[in-house]
Amino acid sequence: MAVEDRLFRALAVLRVVTLANAVVLNLYRLDDVARPAAGVGCVLGMVAWTAFAVGAYAAPRRRTAALLVADLAVAVALLAVTPFVKGEGFQATVPGFWIAGALLAWAVHYRWVGGLVAALVLAVPDLLIREEISQSNYGNVFLIVIGGPLVGFMCGSLQQMAAERDRAERTAAAAAERARLARAVHDGVLQVLSLVQRRGAELGGEAAELGRLAGEQEARLRTLIRTQERTAEVTGPGESGGPVVLDLAAELGRLESRGAVSVAAPATPVELPAAVVDELCAVVGACLDNVAVHVGADAPAWVLLEALGDRVELSVRDEGPGIPAGRLEQAAAEGRLGVSESIRGRVADLGGTATLTTGAFGTEWEIVVPVRFDDGVPPGTPRH
């Protein structure tokens, strides 16, 4: 809308300029007009409509189809009455270049399709009122027909560029916020956990066990902070100008270092935007954390990755006792958001789904995420 507002402000200036040109030319040629009174009436009508249109298009809520159709109808009507006003053998129409205001209004609002429609609607009567079509007349109509769609296409491109700029600014703001939160965690939580670990080891007994747990959480938080920092670094374009990508299969393969975790992935790379890969690895990591906490630190878990062209499917399975009915809802009510935020929340942000199947046979998460690249390159295209 901001782009369209600026274009309509520029169009308002153009309307005034073309109106001044039309008024001067019509008054200068008034002696050669067959019906001077009608000519003056047409000029006054253009002045009144220009004043109305400039004010009407200034407010986005008034840029309705009715206004645009009326604007185009006024321009067509002035073309149609030209033979009546000027008589036979006229060379220039009454509105002249003033009709460009209606043409460009359609192009700005409806992009290239609107520019083409308005150009054809104006070109047809401009040709029909002529006794003969000269090279000059044909050239003017040709410029109208190609100018409308071209301006509309450029307006659409400007709007797309503005949207891409806004997305880039939001991404940069999110990266900066992640960095700020990471610093806050480092300055507060990590230092406290480190202190608990040292004091627990010194005190021994049950305190030593608490210290060990604090040390594990400290290590996990440091890993998370490093991951977020790496995400912030790779949000920009890569060396080839496209988005930075990572191999999801390779990143998931590193999870096998956690112990009894088996990862099955395609033999070929599964390249996705780096931010998506980081989020999916975090989702799988949260699933494995739940296995370690609720089934056992040495409990086996299996991770399966499938790349299906327009989407990727992840399965994380264990053979534990399953999750009791209502347990997840109770945990969310108590403020423990591991499943609702770390798993389902992340997947939802990626536009995917996370389905939980649990019972006496164990627990399995099925995660489906669509494959999308912001640069429009289809999946499977080499990006090196």
Side-chain angles (χ1 to χ4, degrees):
M1 187 58 65
V3 173
E4 187 171 297
D5 288 344
R6 297 190 66 176
L7 291 173
F8 271 113
R9 285 197 294 269
L11 180 57
V13 176
L14 177 65
R15 284 181 183 272
V16 174
V17 172
T18 55
L19 173 66
N21 178 73
V23 170
V24 171
L25 290 179
N26 278 285
L27 293 178
Y28 178 76
R29 300 167 181 165
L30 193 61
D31 294 338
D32 299 328
V33 173
R35 295 175 175 83
V40 172
C42 289
V43 171
L44 294 176
M46 285 190 292
V47 172
W49 182 258
T50 299
F52 169 78
V54 168
Y57 282 110
R61 61 184 176 83
R62 291 197 291 265
R63 296 170 198 158
T64 62
L67 174 62
L68 287 151
V69 170
D71 196 9
L72 192 60
V74 170
V76 172
L78 288 169
L79 288 174
V81 301
T82 295
F84 172 78
V85 173
K86 290 197 168 186
E88 298 180 357
F90 68 91
Q91 297 296 321
T93 61
V94 170
F97 294 115
W98 183 82
I99 63 173
L103 171 66
L104 297 182
W106 277 68
V108 170
H109 193 70
Y110 294 120
R111 308 299 180 253
W112 72 268
V113 175
L116 179 60
V117 170
L120 293 176
V121 170
L122 292 170
V124 171
D126 197 352
L127 292 176
L128 291 178
I129 62 176
R130 308 282 182 177
E131 294 181 358
E132 60 176 358
I133 300 176
S134 64
Q135 184 176 354
S136 176
N137 298 333
Y138 168 79
N140 292 336
V141 171
F142 179 74
L143 289 177
I144 291 175
V145 173
I146 66 171
L150 181 60
V151 171
F153 175 78
M154 293 176 65
C155 294
S157 298
L158 286 173
Q159 189 177 41
Q160 182 179 357
M161 291 171 62
E164 292 173 351
R165 179 204 61 196
D166 292 342
R167 284 196 297 269
E169 290 178 350
R170 288 194 297 268
T171 300
E177 180 64 13
R178 284 196 299 266
R180 185 189 68 81
L181 292 175
R183 289 193 298 270
V185 170
H186 182 273
D187 294 340
V189 179
L190 288 179
Q191 291 184 6
V192 172
L193 290 175
S194 179
L195 176 61
V196 172
Q197 181 184 15
R198 291 198 305 270
R199 291 294 294 159
E202 294 172 359
L203 295 174
E206 294 183 356
E209 177 64 16
L210 291 176
R212 184 185 66 80
L213 294 175
E216 291 179 358
Q217 294 305 314
E218 180 192 7
R220 290 182 180 180
L221 277 176
R222 290 189 185 279
T223 300
L224 176 61
I225 290 173
R226 287 195 297 269
T227 300
Q228 296 296 340
E229 288 175 347
R230 183 163 61 86
T231 302
E233 291 173 357
V234 301
T235 51
E239 295 179 358
S240 61
V244 174
V245 296
L246 292 175
D247 181 7
L248 178 59
E251 296 296 315
L252 290 176
R254 299 177 183 177
L255 296 175
E256 292 186 335
S257 61
R258 298 178 62 137
V261 177
S262 299
V263 178
T268 56
V270 181
E271 292 187 338
L272 294 174
V276 176
V277 172
D278 286 334
E279 288 295 281
L280 288 177
C281 288
V283 169
V284 175
C287 295
L288 296 177
D289 288 342
N290 287 336
V291 174
V293 172
H294 300 290
V295 183
D298 298 326
W302 293 266
V303 179
L304 172 64
L305 170 64
E306 294 182 278
L308 302 177
D310 62 339
R311 68 188 188 280
V312 293
E313 295 186 2
L314 275 167
S315 174
V316 183
R317 181 174 60 87
D318 66 65
E319 294 181 344
I323 302 175
R327 185 69 187 91
L328 296 181
E329 291 76 7
Q330 179 184 355
E334 294 173 353
R336 295 195 293 271
L337 305 178
V339 171
S340 62
E341 293 298 331
S342 296
I343 299 176
R344 286 177 174 156
R346 279 191 169 103
V347 174
D349 289 343
L350 296 175
T353 59
T355 305
L356 173 64
T357 305
T358 185
F361 54 85
T363 300
E364 181 176 4
W365 282 99
E366 293 184 0
I367 300 159
V368 180
V369 174
V371 174
R372 289 193 295 259
F373 288 95
D374 292 339
D375 60 356
V377 179
T381 303
R383 296 171 172 274
H384 303 292

